[in-house]
mmCIF file of all heavy atoms in Angstrom:
data_model
loop_
_atom_site.group_PDB
_atom_site.id
_atom_site.type_symbol
_atom_site.label_atom_id
_atom_site.label_comp_id
_atom_site.label_asym_id
_atom_site.label_seq_id
_atom_site.Cartn_x
_atom_site.Cartn_y
_atom_site.Cartn_z
ATOM 1 N N LEU A 35 11.696 7.798 11.892
ATOM 2 C CA LEU A 35 10.565 7.564 11.046
ATOM 3 C C LEU A 35 9.390 8.517 11.348
ATOM 4 O O LEU A 35 8.989 8.572 12.559
ATOM 5 C CB LEU A 35 10.006 6.084 11.154
ATOM 6 C CG LEU A 35 11.012 4.985 11.068
ATOM 7 C CD1 LEU A 35 10.340 3.645 11.320
ATOM 8 C CD2 LEU A 35 11.567 4.948 9.621
ATOM 9 N N LEU A 36 8.761 9.209 10.423
ATOM 10 C CA LEU A 36 7.548 9.920 10.580
ATOM 11 C C LEU A 36 6.409 8.999 10.164
ATOM 12 O O LEU A 36 6.281 8.621 9.051
ATOM 13 C CB LEU A 36 7.560 11.151 9.706
ATOM 14 C CG LEU A 36 6.226 11.977 9.776
ATOM 15 C CD1 LEU A 36 5.925 12.461 11.157
ATOM 16 C CD2 LEU A 36 6.283 13.127 8.759
ATOM 17 N N VAL A 37 5.701 8.562 11.241
ATOM 18 C CA VAL A 37 4.597 7.615 11.022
ATOM 19 C C VAL A 37 3.255 8.282 11.117
ATOM 20 O O VAL A 37 3.006 8.960 12.159
ATOM 21 C CB VAL A 37 4.720 6.480 12.120
ATOM 22 C CG1 VAL A 37 3.610 5.439 11.858
ATOM 23 C CG2 VAL A 37 6.003 5.777 12.003
ATOM 24 N N VAL A 38 2.467 8.213 10.075
ATOM 25 C CA VAL A 38 1.166 8.948 10.051
ATOM 26 C C VAL A 38 0.078 7.887 10.070
ATOM 27 O O VAL A 38 0.040 6.963 9.233
ATOM 28 C CB VAL A 38 1.087 9.764 8.832
ATOM 29 C CG1 VAL A 38 -0.303 10.506 8.734
ATOM 30 C CG2 VAL A 38 2.190 10.812 8.738
ATOM 31 N N ALA A 39 -0.821 8.072 11.087
ATOM 32 C CA ALA A 39 -1.915 7.140 11.272
ATOM 33 C C ALA A 39 -3.088 7.537 10.301
ATOM 34 O O ALA A 39 -3.113 8.615 9.729
ATOM 35 C CB ALA A 39 -2.499 7.199 12.673
ATOM 36 N N GLU A 40 -4.064 6.644 10.157
ATOM 37 C CA GLU A 40 -5.203 6.898 9.290
ATOM 38 C C GLU A 40 -6.009 8.128 9.660
ATOM 39 O O GLU A 40 -6.571 8.716 8.844
ATOM 40 C CB GLU A 40 -6.102 5.637 9.283
ATOM 41 C CG GLU A 40 -5.484 4.458 8.520
ATOM 42 C CD GLU A 40 -6.540 3.327 8.507
ATOM 43 O OE1 GLU A 40 -7.735 3.510 8.807
ATOM 44 O OE2 GLU A 40 -6.136 2.223 8.102
ATOM 45 N N ASP A 41 -5.987 8.459 10.994
ATOM 46 C CA ASP A 41 -6.698 9.702 11.404
ATOM 47 C C ASP A 41 -5.948 10.939 11.221
ATOM 48 O O ASP A 41 -6.359 12.043 11.542
ATOM 49 C CB ASP A 41 -7.172 9.541 12.808
ATOM 50 C CG ASP A 41 -6.013 9.469 13.806
ATOM 51 O OD1 ASP A 41 -4.820 9.605 13.405
ATOM 52 O OD2 ASP A 41 -6.271 9.358 15.003
ATOM 53 N N GLY A 42 -4.752 10.839 10.644
ATOM 54 C CA GLY A 42 -3.935 12.010 10.347
ATOM 55 C C GLY A 42 -2.955 12.363 11.460
ATOM 56 O O GLY A 42 -2.099 13.187 11.246
ATOM 57 N N SER A 43 -3.070 11.717 12.580
ATOM 58 C CA SER A 43 -2.076 11.984 13.671
ATOM 59 C C SER A 43 -0.722 11.384 13.277
ATOM 60 O O SER A 43 -0.615 10.450 12.500
ATOM 61 C CB SER A 43 -2.591 11.338 14.981
ATOM 62 O OG SER A 43 -2.607 9.969 14.880
ATOM 63 N N ALA A 44 0.310 12.026 13.758
ATOM 64 C CA ALA A 44 1.681 11.654 13.380
ATOM 65 C C ALA A 44 2.510 11.438 14.676
ATOM 66 O O ALA A 44 2.292 12.055 15.741
ATOM 67 C CB ALA A 44 2.325 12.681 12.544
ATOM 68 N N ARG A 45 3.473 10.551 14.545
ATOM 69 C CA ARG A 45 4.462 10.335 15.634
ATOM 70 C C ARG A 45 5.815 10.031 15.052
ATOM 71 O O ARG A 45 5.907 9.617 13.886
ATOM 72 C CB ARG A 45 3.993 9.221 16.507
ATOM 73 C CG ARG A 45 3.931 7.889 15.793
ATOM 74 C CD ARG A 45 3.491 6.686 16.675
ATOM 75 N NE ARG A 45 2.338 6.907 17.562
ATOM 76 C CZ ARG A 45 1.014 6.701 17.277
ATOM 77 N NH1 ARG A 45 0.697 6.364 16.059
ATOM 78 N NH2 ARG A 45 0.116 7.001 18.154
ATOM 79 N N LEU A 46 6.807 10.347 15.841
ATOM 80 C CA LEU A 46 8.257 10.112 15.379
ATOM 81 C C LEU A 46 8.735 8.873 16.117
ATOM 82 O O LEU A 46 8.570 8.786 17.350
ATOM 83 C CB LEU A 46 9.090 11.308 15.746
ATOM 84 C CG LEU A 46 8.779 12.540 15.000
ATOM 85 C CD1 LEU A 46 9.577 13.730 15.485
ATOM 86 C CD2 LEU A 46 8.909 12.454 13.502
ATOM 87 N N VAL A 47 9.275 7.981 15.353
ATOM 88 C CA VAL A 47 9.761 6.700 15.950
ATOM 89 C C VAL A 47 11.275 6.635 15.530
ATOM 90 O O VAL A 47 11.619 6.535 14.378
ATOM 91 C CB VAL A 47 9.004 5.502 15.405
ATOM 92 C CG1 VAL A 47 9.623 4.181 15.996
ATOM 93 C CG2 VAL A 47 7.536 5.604 15.757
ATOM 94 N N PRO A 48 12.163 6.528 16.525
ATOM 95 C CA PRO A 48 13.618 6.345 16.204
ATOM 96 C C PRO A 48 13.858 5.056 15.536
ATOM 97 O O PRO A 48 13.320 3.972 15.954
ATOM 98 C CB PRO A 48 14.270 6.401 17.572
ATOM 99 C CG PRO A 48 13.265 6.942 18.552
ATOM 100 C CD PRO A 48 11.943 6.632 17.988
ATOM 101 N N PHE A 49 14.599 5.015 14.442
ATOM 102 C CA PHE A 49 14.890 3.796 13.713
ATOM 103 C C PHE A 49 16.225 3.233 14.261
ATOM 104 O O PHE A 49 17.269 3.425 13.643
ATOM 105 C CB PHE A 49 14.999 4.099 12.181
ATOM 106 C CG PHE A 49 15.058 2.806 11.411
ATOM 107 C CD1 PHE A 49 13.974 2.005 11.271
ATOM 108 C CD2 PHE A 49 16.292 2.512 10.776
ATOM 109 C CE1 PHE A 49 14.043 0.872 10.509
ATOM 110 C CE2 PHE A 49 16.291 1.320 9.993
ATOM 111 C CZ PHE A 49 15.224 0.570 9.840
ATOM 112 N N VAL A 50 16.075 2.653 15.492
ATOM 113 C CA VAL A 50 17.254 2.082 16.191
ATOM 114 C C VAL A 50 16.843 0.732 16.692
ATOM 115 O O VAL A 50 15.693 0.454 16.896
ATOM 116 C CB VAL A 50 17.712 2.972 17.372
ATOM 117 C CG1 VAL A 50 18.222 4.280 16.869
ATOM 118 C CG2 VAL A 50 16.558 3.199 18.368
ATOM 119 N N PRO A 51 17.776 -0.220 16.828
ATOM 120 C CA PRO A 51 17.462 -1.527 17.314
ATOM 121 C C PRO A 51 16.695 -1.655 18.613
ATOM 122 O O PRO A 51 15.934 -2.556 18.832
ATOM 123 C CB PRO A 51 18.853 -2.216 17.462
ATOM 124 C CG PRO A 51 19.769 -1.424 16.534
ATOM 125 C CD PRO A 51 19.243 -0.015 16.574
ATOM 126 N N ALA A 52 16.854 -0.668 19.529
ATOM 127 C CA ALA A 52 16.142 -0.676 20.722
ATOM 128 C C ALA A 52 14.618 -0.528 20.505
ATOM 129 O O ALA A 52 13.806 -1.035 21.358
ATOM 130 C CB ALA A 52 16.595 0.421 21.599
ATOM 131 N N HIS A 53 14.154 -0.008 19.360
ATOM 132 C CA HIS A 53 12.751 0.159 19.179
ATOM 133 C C HIS A 53 12.211 -0.535 17.938
ATOM 134 O O HIS A 53 11.061 -0.767 17.770
ATOM 135 C CB HIS A 53 12.437 1.726 19.044
ATOM 136 C CG HIS A 53 12.751 2.478 20.236
ATOM 137 N ND1 HIS A 53 12.037 2.256 21.428
ATOM 138 C CD2 HIS A 53 13.642 3.428 20.434
ATOM 139 C CE1 HIS A 53 12.571 3.125 22.314
ATOM 140 N NE2 HIS A 53 13.538 3.828 21.722
ATOM 141 N N VAL A 54 13.081 -0.849 16.993
ATOM 142 C CA VAL A 54 12.670 -1.577 15.775
ATOM 143 C C VAL A 54 13.048 -3.060 15.904
ATOM 144 O O VAL A 54 14.202 -3.424 16.015
ATOM 145 C CB VAL A 54 13.378 -1.002 14.519
ATOM 146 C CG1 VAL A 54 12.989 -1.797 13.289
ATOM 147 C CG2 VAL A 54 13.000 0.463 14.372
ATOM 148 N N ASP A 55 11.950 -3.853 15.937
ATOM 149 C CA ASP A 55 12.177 -5.313 16.063
ATOM 150 C C ASP A 55 12.533 -6.013 14.778
ATOM 151 O O ASP A 55 13.323 -6.873 14.686
ATOM 152 C CB ASP A 55 10.911 -5.988 16.728
ATOM 153 C CG ASP A 55 10.690 -5.520 18.175
ATOM 154 O OD1 ASP A 55 11.657 -5.213 18.867
ATOM 155 O OD2 ASP A 55 9.516 -5.461 18.571
ATOM 156 N N ALA A 56 11.854 -5.561 13.744
ATOM 157 C CA ALA A 56 12.005 -6.262 12.459
ATOM 158 C C ALA A 56 11.531 -5.437 11.229
ATOM 159 O O ALA A 56 10.590 -4.574 11.481
ATOM 160 C CB ALA A 56 11.292 -7.576 12.434
ATOM 161 N N VAL A 57 12.104 -5.544 10.131
ATOM 162 C CA VAL A 57 11.620 -4.908 8.900
ATOM 163 C C VAL A 57 11.434 -6.068 7.860
ATOM 164 O O VAL A 57 12.333 -6.811 7.542
ATOM 165 C CB VAL A 57 12.701 -3.927 8.380
ATOM 166 C CG1 VAL A 57 12.232 -3.350 7.022
ATOM 167 C CG2 VAL A 57 12.986 -2.758 9.384
#
Side-chain angles (χ1 to χ4, degrees):
L35 306 176
L36 173 61
V37 180
V38 179
E40 287 185 13
D41 66 3
S43 63
R45 61 180 45 89
L46 297 174
V47 179
F49 191 70
V50 295
H53 298 296
V54 176
D55 294 330
V57 176

